[in-house]
Amino acid sequence: MSVYTNTVPTQAYRSSGRPEVTFAIERLIDIAAMRLGMDRIALRWRNLVKREGDAVPQRGRHAL
């Protein structure tokens, strides 16, 4: 069932969101690649999880 309203759907806003954090992480990877003298894409490929079962930090009790 759909209902037309004049209000915008909202949710709780408590801190910086995912886009801001993702931007910061991507910039840190770019800086690390520059300091290592590597291509930034090559560094991402080198750290890519390639197989099922590889260790990733998101597989804990508190993973999203």
Side-chain angles (χ1 to χ4, degrees):
M1 174 186 324
S2 296
V3 177
Y4 177 78
T5 66
N6 290 327
T7 59
V8 178
T10 61
Q11 58 186 8
Y13 184 81
R14 296 185 179 161
S15 67
S16 58
R18 181 169 238 126
E20 291 87 353
V21 174
T22 301
F23 174 77
I25 291 169
E26 292 297 320
R27 283 299 298 145
L28 288 171
I29 293 171
D30 290 344
I31 292 167
M34 182 181 64
R35 290 186 180 176
L36 292 169
M38 294 180 69
D39 179 57
R40 59 191 187 97
I41 303 302
L43 181 61
R44 286 174 173 83
W45 273 104
R46 184 175 181 173
N47 291 295
L48 182 68
V49 177
K50 296 174 180 77
R51 295 179 301 269
E52 181 66 32
D54 283 354
V56 293
Q58 295 86 5
R59 292 232 177 115
R61 268 180 33 187
H62 305 291
L64 295 175

